[in-house]
Amino acid sequence: MRLDKLLANKGYGSRKDVKNILKQKKVSVNNTITKDGSFHVEPTTDLIKVGEETVHYQKYIYLMMNKPPGYVSATKDDSEKTVLDLLPANLQNHHPFPVGRLDKDTEGLLLLTNDGELGHQLTSPKKDISKIYFAEIDGHVTESDVKRFADGLKLKDGYHTKPATLRILAAGESSEIEIVISEGKYHQVKRMFAAVGKRVTYLKRVRIGQLMLDPTLELGHYREMTDSELDLMVRK
Ligand code: URA
């Protein structure tokens, strides 16, 4: 975001006031004085100061990650690498946590924040937030499976799933599908396929509510969410 916008948002006056502060060489970004209001800053990672005062732009951080396999969705683990290990120390200092869980071998869209309220809203079963996954399946997925998923099916432990929308993208000895679910039970997608006698061999979350995984985000990479992405999460 622009430096002048950040300072104005933080209450350092109007754009004109901010211009004056900049002109007076009071503002530094990562210990270098800058007078350029259009200078691009990363509010969560850059050290921005007005005089001796550090500008803490955000109380909360909101990150979108393309989770790679091999990492657990937890803040700490005795034996496994966690998704927090993929963040630099300056972001870990904000104490983010993953919103909801993806299995260790699952890839794709994972949000990390230190905003407990948003985390709660997004994982609350009452909110019915839909999630979309792409999966590869060992086995021939059929229209009869589509119907069983749509009707809701009984998992091995007796739990009846809510209706899920299954779309067959490719079917054969192995199949590719997209599934929309609105609940997040442990191993949900894998257990749903197990219930119809098939095995998930690859799973990737591509969407939560209205928020799509940024297709340019490489596996293991993360970025700050944009304001419009955050709006999408807050609305649904
Ligand atoms: N369903 C699963 O089985 N695993 C995940 O990681 C997410 C949904």
Side-chain angles (χ1 to χ4, degrees):
M1 101 185 289
R2 282 175 65 115
L3 178 60
D4 52 6
K5 190 171 171 211
L6 167 74
L7 295 175
N9 284 353
K10 282 300 296 177
Y12 286 94
S14 63
R15 282 257 176 138
K16 197 166 156 221
D17 298 328
V18 167
K19 224 178 187 167
N20 278 330
I21 299 173
L22 285 159
K23 225 159 121 186
Q24 290 161 21
K25 298 192 181 172
K26 285 189 178 161
V27 181
S28 66
V29 178
N30 300 326
N31 299 318
T32 305
I33 296 284
T34 176
K35 295 197 294 179
D36 179 5
S38 72
F39 190 78
H40 180 89
V41 289
E42 291 293 343
T44 51
T45 50
D46 287 334
L47 173 65
I48 300 152
K49 283 184 158 187
V50 176
E52 284 310 302
E53 196 175 29
T54 302
V55 180
H56 296 286
Y57 172 59
Q58 283 169 312
K59 185 169 169 200
Y60 296 127
I61 58 166
Y62 302 93
L63 306 171
M64 171 193 288
M65 177 182 280
N66 186 359
K67 179 193 171 297
Y71 288 79
V72 294
S73 307
T75 48
K76 50 175 188 276
D77 193 282
D78 288 341
S79 51
E80 306 281 0
K81 290 178 288 185
T82 78
V83 289
L84 291 196
D85 292 327
L86 295 161
L87 303 180
N90 62 335
L91 287 178
Q92 289 187 18
N93 288 344
H94 289 264
H95 305 295
F97 58 87
V99 177
R101 277 173 187 258
L102 290 177
D103 296 338
K104 183 180 166 191
D105 60 350
T106 302
E107 298 181 2
L109 179 56
L110 186 68
L111 307 185
L112 294 135
T113 183
N114 51 0
D115 179 349
E117 177 59 32
L118 183 76
H120 175 70
Q121 275 187 33
L122 293 177
T123 47
S124 162
K126 284 192 212 124
K127 291 274 174 176
D128 249 14
I129 294 182
S130 64
K131 287 132 209 144
I132 305 187
Y133 293 85
F134 166 82
E136 290 170 6
I137 309 297
D138 183 12
H140 195 143
V141 180
T142 64
E143 286 305 323
S144 133
D145 294 326
V146 173
K147 176 148 186 346
R148 288 187 66 187
F149 276 58
D151 291 344
L153 41 77
K154 196 170 159 187
L155 302 182
K156 224 173 169 184
D157 64 357
Y159 177 74
H160 282 268
T161 63
K162 288 185 187 169
T165 308
L166 181 60
R167 199 156 70 88
I168 301 171
L169 305 174
E173 226 163 85
S174 58
S175 310
E176 291 181 4
I177 61 95
E178 192 180 79
I179 182 170
V180 187
I181 55 174
S182 58
E183 49 189 350
K185 298 268 179 275
Y186 181 64
H187 287 341
Q188 173 119 13
V189 175
K190 290 173 186 163
R191 290 197 295 148
M192 288 176 87
F193 276 97
V196 296
K198 292 170 184 115
R199 195 168 63 90
V200 174
T201 54
Y202 172 81
L203 189 60
K204 176 181 186 174
R205 181 159 64 190
V206 291
R207 187 164 161 168
I208 301 172
Q210 298 304 309
L211 180 73
M212 299 278 299
L213 173 65
D214 178 344
T216 66
L217 207 53
E218 288 176 33
L219 262 187
H221 288 209
Y222 64 87
R223 66 160 171 76
E224 271 189 69
M225 286 168 63
T226 63
D227 288 347
S228 49
E229 285 170 340
L230 262 175
D231 281 349
L232 288 176
M233 297 320 289
V234 174
R235 260 191 283 120
K236 177 72 190 159

